[in-house]
Amino acid sequence: MHQVARLAGLSHQTVSRYLQNNDALKAANRQRVEAAIQELGYRPNLVARSMRTRRTGRLAILIPPPSSYSPTRMLAGAVQMAHAAGYASEVVSLEGGAEARTQRMLELADSGQVEGILSLAPLAPTSEEAVAGRAALVVSGDYDDDMRAIGELADSSPVADLIEQLAAQGHRRFLHVAGSQQFASARGRKQVYLDTIERLGLESAGVYDGDWSAESGIEAITQLPNNSGVTAVIAGNDLVAAGVIRGALNRGWQVPGDITVTGWDNNPLGAYLNPTLTTVDVNHEELGRRAMRRLVTAVGGSLPEPAANTPLNTIVWRDSTNTPRW
């Protein structure tokens, strides 16, 4: 810093104010400091600064091993929000279950390298108490210890909206190809399907309990009798829906001419299928932003007010849905 000051012909206090983004600095002095920094290739000593201010300007985001789960979209939203608040973020992948991840998290908190930690994977219930005074901690409540969606991610209300719209188009007999019932999201979508069919006085050919795979979609359609009367299939996710479409084509049925199909997750490939797939887009980025906003607030950072009523789930209507032929 003293070298920068000498080259710029200014005091080291002026250089210090520049590095602290002091808006009161004269434009001419700012330009002289910037030119000196450029010439010398100066970089602030972040370790020394953090020892003096006890602020590092760094946040950590913990994720489970990529082999078991990849929260790419949530992570993107969290990093974006941290950057908007002026923080650098580091992504740390932690092995093991909640207890093992908690121990690693405590080691990170003890290192003094970060001001706050956002965990997208579950930690032990006592984590926040254990880390108190060492770093701020926010644990996302969107997944269980096996990284299965819970909380807002398991909201199944769009199933009712799908069925209501299809019923308004004239569909009366439905089939649901569910995901694995080990997942709260699959159980929720199944229950909303059954409740909505009953509430609207519609007919159901039943529920096929699948496993989130395209094969389960093919099997569900293959087992339908020719006279089932089903004109609309609510699939547990886009992969299942792709299997449903393939199974329908194998039987000589046209989609959506003979049968309408919907999915869930808004997999990018769905926009390129033939026909393009009606689905439910889940705003994982917004989940990441919400979690990071809580952490930034906890470490004393500031952010602009969030946009009101940002939806988490949005139906994307495409060509795989239409009015029934009969």
Side-chain angles (χ1 to χ4, degrees):
M1 188 186 301
H2 284 275
Q3 289 176 320
V4 170
R6 282 195 297 271
L7 183 59
L10 299 168
S11 69
H12 74 272
Q13 290 91 343
T14 299
V15 176
S16 178
R17 286 197 298 272
Y18 168 87
L19 295 172
Q20 295 172 31
N21 295 315
N22 191 319
D23 293 333
L25 204 63
K26 294 180 180 178
N29 288 345
R30 182 178 295 276
Q31 292 173 2
R32 290 163 66 182
V33 173
E34 288 173 351
I37 286 176
Q38 180 76 16
E39 182 175 340
L40 293 172
Y42 172 74
R43 296 291 182 274
N45 188 324
L46 297 180
V47 174
R49 177 185 294 180
S50 65
M51 291 175 65
R52 183 179 70 254
T53 65
R54 298 189 178 182
R55 302 293 299 270
T56 65
R58 307 186 74 82
L59 305 174
I61 305 174
L62 309 185
I63 62 172
S67 60
S68 64
Y69 168 70
S70 181
T72 307
R73 293 176 59 190
M74 280 187 69
L75 184 59
V79 170
Q80 179 190 57
M81 184 60 70
H83 179 74
Y87 288 89
S89 54
E90 300 177 1
V91 180
V92 182
S93 178
L94 300 183
E95 301 281 349
E99 293 293 341
R101 286 194 295 265
T102 299
Q103 290 304 313
R104 293 287 307 281
M105 179 276 297
L106 291 174
E107 293 172 6
L108 182 62
D110 284 337
S111 71
Q113 296 177 7
V114 297
E115 295 180 43
I117 300 169
L118 168 62
S119 180
L120 300 184
L123 299 175
T126 58
S127 298
E128 293 188 25
E129 298 175 9
V131 79
R134 290 183 268 186
L137 173 66
V138 169
V139 181
S140 169
D142 300 301
Y143 294 93
D144 65 14
D145 197 40
D146 293 317
M147 299 314 297
R148 297 176 296 202
I150 55 177
E152 285 188 279
L153 274 181
D155 173 32
S156 303
S157 58
V159 170
D161 298 330
L162 286 168
I163 296 174
E164 288 171 0
Q165 179 62 30
L166 294 177
Q169 293 177 356
H171 293 276
R172 289 294 176 268
R173 189 164 175 80
F174 292 73
L175 171 71
H176 179 43
V177 186
S180 168
Q181 294 302 290
Q182 295 180 355
F183 288 73
S185 54
R187 297 193 299 271
R189 291 168 204 173
K190 176 178 178 178
Q191 190 59 54
V192 172
Y193 168 84
L194 294 171
D195 292 345
T196 306
I197 292 293
E198 181 179 3
R199 174 170 58 84
L200 298 179
L202 302 171
E203 300 177 7
S204 174
V207 174
Y208 184 92
D209 288 330
D211 58 3
W212 301 119
S213 70
E215 287 76 11
S216 65
I218 294 174
E219 291 170 2
I221 292 300
T222 301
Q223 293 179 16
L224 271 182
N226 289 327
N227 60 351
S228 71
V230 170
T231 62
V233 178
I234 308 296
N237 69 4
D238 290 349
L239 195 56
V240 173
V244 169
I245 293 173
R246 171 47 55 192
L249 295 177
N250 289 346
R251 298 189 65 165
W253 298 347
Q254 293 183 356
V255 180
D258 296 313
I259 196 164
T260 271
V261 181
T262 71
W264 192 292
D265 284 337
N266 197 18
N267 187 303
L269 288 176
Y272 301 95
L273 293 176
N274 187 17
T276 57
L277 181 63
T278 290
T279 186
V280 177
D281 180 65
V282 183
N283 196 340
H284 290 87
E285 292 88 351
E286 176 62 16
L287 281 174
R289 286 191 288 268
R290 291 178 188 176
M292 181 56 75
R293 179 177 288 276
R294 290 166 51 202
L295 181 61
V296 169
T297 300
V299 299
S302 61
L303 282 165
E305 288 299 314
N309 301 320
T310 302
L312 187 61
N313 296 317
T314 305
I315 297 176
V316 182
W317 294 98
R318 297 196 181 111
D319 297 338
S320 65
T321 54
N322 205 341
T323 57
R325 283 183 174 175
W326 59 89

